[in-house]
Amino acid sequence: MAELYGVYKCNVCGNVVRVNLAGGGNLFCCGQPMVLQRPKDSGEGEQKHLPVVERTAEGLKVMVGEVPHVMEQNHWIVWVEVETADGYCYQRFLKPGEEPVVEFRLSSGEEPKVVREYCNLHGLWERKP
Ligand SMILES: [Fe+2]
């Protein structure tokens, strides 16, 4: 059964999907089950992939990462997202050539529960602020 906000990858063709509304079924692509991507929070590459989170007057500034991640045509940060304690999720897609920095507007009292980013080569990373 697919997980809400879960990120699944097809290991045959490379399709990546994110579940925005969870039903009861399983996800398949190229005739095989898609693989749930478990977010990493440490390990090799963490300096360039772990989101760095900073509170601002308007919300949250997220930088990927402590050493800025490259944003090249074949290696870039595809998206950055913030899930709040209230269960809302804000997502912003990026393109090669852009800075790996995203600012999210949060209402007063809205608390970030987890910040994630997806690198097209190195997968899903998360930090709990
Ligand atoms: Fe990467």
Side-chain angles (χ1 to χ4, degrees):
M1 188 170 107
E3 285 183 15
L4 180 64
Y5 302 142
V7 174
Y8 292 80
K9 184 174 183 180
C10 172
N11 286 335
V12 177
C13 75
N15 272 338
V16 174
V17 301
R18 182 173 173 274
V19 176
N20 291 322
L21 184 63
N26 294 309
L27 301 174
F28 285 80
C29 187
C30 298
Q32 294 186 9
M34 296 189 83
V35 180
L36 177 64
Q37 305 297 293
R38 293 284 177 201
K40 293 170 258 188
D41 62 4
S42 63
E44 191 179 340
E46 73 176 71
Q47 278 191 316
K48 293 180 180 174
H49 292 92
L50 263 191
V52 175
V53 180
E54 185 182 300
R55 293 305 292 252
T56 65
E58 294 81 30
L60 211 63
K61 182 177 181 182
V62 179
M63 292 148 287
V64 184
E66 190 180 306
V67 174
H69 191 278
V70 296
M71 293 295 282
E72 297 167 351
Q73 284 298 326
N74 59 1
H75 185 197
W76 80 102
I77 302 304
V78 182
W79 76 81
V80 178
E81 66 185 40
V82 176
E83 193 178 326
T84 69
D86 294 337
Y88 291 101
C89 193
Y90 304 98
Q91 186 178 32
R92 165 84 194 277
F93 287 87
L94 297 172
K95 295 176 184 169
E98 292 184 313
E99 243 193 314
V101 177
V102 177
E103 293 196 45
F104 293 96
R105 275 175 113 57
L106 297 181
S107 308
S108 62
E110 221 176 6
E111 286 300 318
K113 187 173 86 179
V114 61
V115 177
R116 296 186 195 95
E117 65 87 356
Y118 189 85
C119 166
N120 73 312
L121 293 184
H122 302 109
L124 194 61
W125 293 75
E126 76 175 19
R127 181 187 295 271
K128 292 180 175 139

